[in-house]
Amino acid sequence: LLKAGDVPVLARKAAGKGYIYLLSATALGPDTPESFWNTDLPQKIVDFAKDCPVWTFYIVLFSAGILAPAAEELAFRKVLYGSLEECFPQKKYIPALITAFLFAVSHGIIWQSLTLFIFGLILQWQCIKGSLTRSILMHAAFNWCSLTVLIMARSGIFSETLAGNGV
């Protein structure tokens, strides 16, 4: 797939376009290798949503529901895919697969990786066939579906028994 000289060429192109910081900040993934395998993370997130100050909760909603989709779509669909597309001009599926894989891994939770890989492919297809705006809106809608669980947890809809069972 990649030849020995492709990675330095890709890095130079990304750096030359000024995107290297954006890519590294978005695609670093989990804080530690151990957090990649963390299966109790959903419960920790629900607990955080129930216990954090209101203003912090609103910042999380804004960041995860609006800022993150826009930044990730720009980084993955335009910058990374665009750079990889230059390296593989005859095989458009290779940049799409690499971009979707990095998108999945960058979220840092192993049990979500397959779903996010497929979602990354769908977002890339939407960006190619439609527009970057469409992929941003789809990504934001996906994130807001997940955020509704946090909103419900914050509002007390879940009982302690239900929340204690990993919801």
Side-chain angles (χ1 to χ4, degrees), residues 68-158:
E72 288 177 9
E73 291 308 300
L74 178 64
F76 287 101
R77 311 298 153 229
K78 285 296 181 184
V79 177
L80 183 59
Y81 179 82
S83 295
L84 288 170
E85 193 176 36
E86 291 175 14
C87 294
F88 301 99
Q90 302 300 321
K91 298 179 181 179
K92 303 290 185 188
Y93 66 93
I94 292 176
L97 291 171
I98 293 170
T99 302
F101 174 76
L102 292 174
F103 174 76
V105 171
S106 74
H107 285 80
I109 304 169
I110 189 70
W111 49 267
Q112 288 182 338
S113 292
L114 179 60
T115 304
L116 290 172
F117 175 76
I118 294 167
F119 187 55
L121 288 174
I122 292 168
L123 291 172
Q124 189 62 57
W125 177 70
Q126 286 299 314
C127 190
I128 293 168
K129 297 295 181 189
S131 69
L132 179 64
T133 303
R134 185 182 297 172
S135 67
I136 290 171
L137 292 174
M138 287 180 65
H139 192 155
F142 182 85
N143 282 10
W144 276 102
C145 289
S146 300
L147 291 170
T148 56
V149 174
L150 297 183
I151 294 168
M152 291 188 302
R154 176 95 182 166
S155 66
I157 289 176
F158 298 130

Side-chain angles (χ1 to χ4, degrees), residues 11-90:
R12 277 196 309 277
K13 286 179 182 178
K17 293 179 181 179
Y19 297 129
I20 201 72
Y21 176 76
L22 180 61
L23 282 174
S24 63
T26 305
L28 282 177
D31 297 331
T32 64
E34 294 80 28
S35 66
F36 192 74
W37 303 98
N38 192 348
T39 57
D40 62 340
L41 186 61
Q43 183 60 46
K44 289 179 181 178
I45 294 171
V46 168
D47 291 342
F48 169 79
K50 289 191 310 186
D51 300 333
C52 71
V54 173
W55 65 270
T56 304
F57 187 67
Y58 288 135
I59 290 172
V60 168
L61 293 179
F62 179 74
S63 298
I66 297 170
L67 292 180
E72 288 177 9
E73 291 308 300
L74 178 64
F76 287 101
R77 311 298 153 229
K78 285 296 181 184
V79 177
L80 183 59
Y81 179 82
S83 295
L84 288 170
E85 193 176 36
E86 291 175 14
C87 294
F88 301 99
Q90 302 300 321

